[in-house]
């Protein structure tokens, strides 16, 4: 395992204010998520010696689209919603990335997530750029009809800015396959004509019966498991028998937990918005997934004991897997954590202060752009299947996903060995090296 003193760390790079952030007039608040994300990227650009012009292009998104749209609520009144679509970069291919429905959606956060998508797609070498969207909405307060109308109005508000070969949304926090189906239907109905059916490629993560790919639902969790299986033995942790704690038990972590369990791992603590549970003999993730689906969360699961938040974080495990929202690992929680590895199933799960503490404690961090790239990778397979009107078997999807994840993990390790940096910086460098090569041959017009 690497230690903070041996290697240059992304937290160190974070500590300094990169001159390009001043040149572009970025916010100076050290806890700003966009600043945090850009500084890691610029640190990796410096390691590679990427030209200034490529750095300034990547430090800001190409397009920031903000929309406001009214939706008729069930009681007859109209409510105005705010939506975003950030298109970060399309040097490698169409903008790609999910859209989320959440009350805390803010511009800087969506910008960070769009930048991370550019890095993720480049790292796994799929021919997409990066984008991200969102609507500021609390879906728990909506009826199904209201949710459908918000989705359709969001789609129509951004329909002129997206397209099957231009910008391709997908699910993210608070959105799912049903929402993608309403989104695709709205886009296709708004573009009626001979090519309407090709519009199905405008969004991925659709239900299997409507152009979705087998294996897409579990893809992000499967990717987390594939990366861990590839990297943990090198860190001295066999997957068979390893212990894990899961922060979040939604789509990503419920699948990661179940798949890791099949590989012989033991989950000993789980937390979500309903509560904290622990069982040192192991929590059956299959039974927990059924319980969470029936009750809306992990609280009250018969196969574990309730515990406090502090107990959850202090549970000694080999691997801690944050798979909930961004910025949840505050300095206090980082102090509590007792793990050898943190595998970032969620994007940017720790605050800059939390990250610094984990690095100082010698926790090996497998960064999100590697650990959670499985979702967008299978989105790419879905898009390819829609484009060529073929259907891949579940085995083919799993095989190809595994190949992409294993190669991305090896690429990251290669850059770490070459640049003697931490895994986060190495993953960014492996992504940026590819983007830099493309800018070199394409040049910049005019
Ligand atoms: N929202 C997922 C992510 O952050 C998936 C994006 C996609 O499939 O395009 O990677």
């Amino acid at each position: 395992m690497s230690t903070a003193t041996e290697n240059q760390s992304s937290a160190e790079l974070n500590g300094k204010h990169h001159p390009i952030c001043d040149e572009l007039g970025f916010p100076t608040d050290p806890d700003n998520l966009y600043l945090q994300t850009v500084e890691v990227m610029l640190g990796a650009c410096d390691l590679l010696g990427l030209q200034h012009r490529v750095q300034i292009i990547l430090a800001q998104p190409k397009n920031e689209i903000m929309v406001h749209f009214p939706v008729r609520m069930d009681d007859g009144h109209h409510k105005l919603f705010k939506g975003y679509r950030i298109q970060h970069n399309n040097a490698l291919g169409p903008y790609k990335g999910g859209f989320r429905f959440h009350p805390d959606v803010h511009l800087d956060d969506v910008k960070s997530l769009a930048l991370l998508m550019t890095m993720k797609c480049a790292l796994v070498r799929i021919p997409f750029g990066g984008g991200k969207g969102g609507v500021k909405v609390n879906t728990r307060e909506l009826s199904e009809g209201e949710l459908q109308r918000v989705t359709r109005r969001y789609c129509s508000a951004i329909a002129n800015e997206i397209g099957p070969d231009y910008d391709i949304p997908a699910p993210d926090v608070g959105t799912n396959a049903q929402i993608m189906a309403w989104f695709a239907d709205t886009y296709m109905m708004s573009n009626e004509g001979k090519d309407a059916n090709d519009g199905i490629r405008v969004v991925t993560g659709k239900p299997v019966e409507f152009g979705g790919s087998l294996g897409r639902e579990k893809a992000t969790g499967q990717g987390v498991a594939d990366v861990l299986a590839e990297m943990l033995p090198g860190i001295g942790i066999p997957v068979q028998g390893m212990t894990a704690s899961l922060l979040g038990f939604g789509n990503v972590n419920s699948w990661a937990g179940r798949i890791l369990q099949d590989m012989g791992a033991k989950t000993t603590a789980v937390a979500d918005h309903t509560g904290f549970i622990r069982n040192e003999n192991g929590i059956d993730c299959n039974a927990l997934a059924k319980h969470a689906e029936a009750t809306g969360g992990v609280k009250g699961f018969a196969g574990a004991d309730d515990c406090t938040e502090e107990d959850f974080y202090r549970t000694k495990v080999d691997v801690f897997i944050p798979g909930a929202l961004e910025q949840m690992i505050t300095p206090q929680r980082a102090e509590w954590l007792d793990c050898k590895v943190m595998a970032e199933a969620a994007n940017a799960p720790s605050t800059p202060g939390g990250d610094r503490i984990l690095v100082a404690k010698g926790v090996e961090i497998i960064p999100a752009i590697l650990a959670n790239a499985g979702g967008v990778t299978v989105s790419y397979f879905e898009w390819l299947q829609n484009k060529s009107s073929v259907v891949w078997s579940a085995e083919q999807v799993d095989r190809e996903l595994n190949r992409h994840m294993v190669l991305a993990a090896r690429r990251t390790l290669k850059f770490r060995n070459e640049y003697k940096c931490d895994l986060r910086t190495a993953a960014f460098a492996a992504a940026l090296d590819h983007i830099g090569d493309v800018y070199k041959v394409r040049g910049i017009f005019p």
Side-chain angles (χ1 to χ4, degrees):
M1 188 186 303
S2 70
T3 66
T5 42
E6 276 166 13
N7 292 337
Q8 181 175 21
S9 74
S10 53
E12 278 171 52
L13 292 166
N14 253 338
K16 284 180 236 132
H17 209 55
H18 196 283
I20 284 184
C21 295
D22 292 331
E23 182 182 336
L24 301 181
F26 280 175
T28 49
D29 169 11
D31 287 332
N32 179 282
L33 180 57
Y34 193 62
L35 189 67
Q36 178 189 358
T37 316
V38 169
E39 288 210 329
V40 177
M41 183 196 72
L42 292 173
C45 285
D46 288 344
L47 279 187
L48 296 174
L50 280 191
Q51 308 98 311
H52 172 264
R53 61 195 167 104
V54 177
Q55 296 200 29
I56 52 172
I57 290 170
L58 293 173
Q60 284 285 28
K62 256 189 161 167
N63 304 313
E64 298 178 15
I65 300 149
M66 272 187 261
V67 293
H68 295 94
F69 53 90
V71 174
R72 185 174 44 76
M73 309 307 281
D74 289 347
D75 66 5
H77 89 285
H78 283 80
K79 196 169 165 181
L80 196 71
F81 288 89
K82 189 180 188 76
Y84 302 88
R85 185 71 190 168
I86 305 297
Q87 296 166 335
H88 177 258
N89 187 269
N90 62 351
L92 300 185
Y95 303 106
K96 184 82 189 86
F99 65 90
R100 60 178 52 186
F101 286 172
H102 196 274
D104 289 332
V105 166
H106 297 290
L107 178 63
D108 271 358
D109 299 350
V110 189
K111 282 174 64 175
S112 309
L113 296 164
L115 186 155
L116 290 174
M117 287 309 304
T118 301
M119 299 300 132
K120 215 181 280 188
C121 295
L123 176 60
V124 289
R125 303 292 194 260
I126 57 177
F128 285 144
K132 196 71 149 206
V135 176
K136 198 172 171 58
V137 58
N138 186 348
T139 51
R140 293 200 178 100
E141 290 170 357
L142 300 183
S143 69
E144 185 174 301
E146 289 169 339
L147 181 63
Q148 178 171 170
R149 292 197 290 281
V150 168
T151 305
R152 290 185 182 276
R153 279 307 304 252
Y154 172 59
C155 176
S156 76
I158 62 167
N160 284 334
E161 316 289 346
I162 58 174
D165 293 302
Y166 181 65
D167 183 0
I168 306 139
D172 196 76
V173 173
T175 52
N176 57 23
Q178 173 62 75
I179 289 173
M180 299 308 120
W182 291 327
F183 191 99
D185 181 65
T186 308
Y187 184 87
M188 292 164 82
M189 295 309 291
S190 319
N191 290 285
E192 269 204 291
K194 285 190 190 140
D195 296 330
N197 283 330
D198 195 39
I200 201 164
R201 292 189 291 119
V202 78
V203 68
T204 57
K206 301 178 293 288
V208 172
E209 52 275 45
F210 183 35
S213 176
L214 292 170
R216 175 63 185 85
E217 196 199 304
K218 69 172 174 117
T220 311
Q222 179 75 56
V224 172
D226 287 353
V227 166
L228 285 174
E230 178 64 21
M231 297 183 92
L232 287 183
I235 302 172
I237 305 172
V239 177
Q240 172 77 37
M242 78 169 211
T243 53
S245 59
L246 309 176
L247 174 61
F249 201 70
N251 177 269
V252 177
N253 263 0
S254 70
W255 279 110
R258 280 177 277 179
I259 295 164
L260 286 168
Q261 182 169 313
D262 287 345
M263 293 175 168
K266 188 162 83 173
T267 295
T268 53
V270 183
D272 73 359
H273 64 283
T274 64
F276 304 88
I277 60 170
R278 199 159 73 155
N279 181 347
E280 283 183 10
N281 298 320
I283 293 170
D284 178 358
C285 288
N286 290 310
L288 182 61
K290 286 197 187 105
H291 171 84
E293 190 166 338
T295 65
V298 301
K299 194 181 166 68
F301 178 57
D305 297 322
D306 285 349
C307 66
T308 64
E309 178 185 355
E310 185 173 342
D311 287 342
F312 166 76
Y313 283 103
R314 282 193 188 278
T315 305
K316 186 178 170 66
V317 286
D318 293 314
V319 184
F320 168 61
I321 309 180
L325 282 174
E326 297 83 43
Q327 305 289 281
M328 291 189 68
I329 310 307
T330 55
Q332 172 68 85
R333 290 169 178 158
E335 291 286 0
W336 286 338
L337 274 173
D338 189 358
C339 60
K340 296 179 190 146
V341 174
M342 174 167 87
E344 296 185 340
N347 297 307
S350 44
T351 64
D355 206 54
R356 269 192 291 276
I357 289 170
L358 293 173
V359 169
K361 283 166 86 162
V363 173
E364 185 80 274
I365 299 173
I366 302 182
I369 62 168
L370 170 63
N372 76 19
V376 73
T377 302
V378 176
S379 274
Y380 169 54
F381 303 158
E382 177 176 333
W383 183 84
L384 279 180
Q385 291 171 70
N386 294 161
K387 200 172 167 85
S388 54
S389 300
V390 296
V391 174
W392 293 13
S393 66
E395 292 72 27
Q396 186 177 357
V397 171
D398 281 356
R399 199 170 49 243
E400 276 300 301
L401 172 61
N402 182 264
R403 194 173 68 81
H404 279 75
M405 299 309 293
V406 166
L407 288 176
R410 291 185 186 161
R411 212 167 272 140
T412 303
L413 290 172
K414 178 173 163 281
F415 274 79
R416 177 168 78 174
N417 292 340
E418 205 166 318
Y419 291 99
K420 307 276 173 268
C421 57
D422 62 37
L423 285 175
R424 189 189 308 286
T425 310
F428 273 75
L432 287 159
D433 187 57
H434 183 40
I435 298 170
D437 283 349
V438 172
Y439 271 110
K440 214 177 284 168
V441 290
R442 283 184 64 165
I444 292 171
F445 174 80

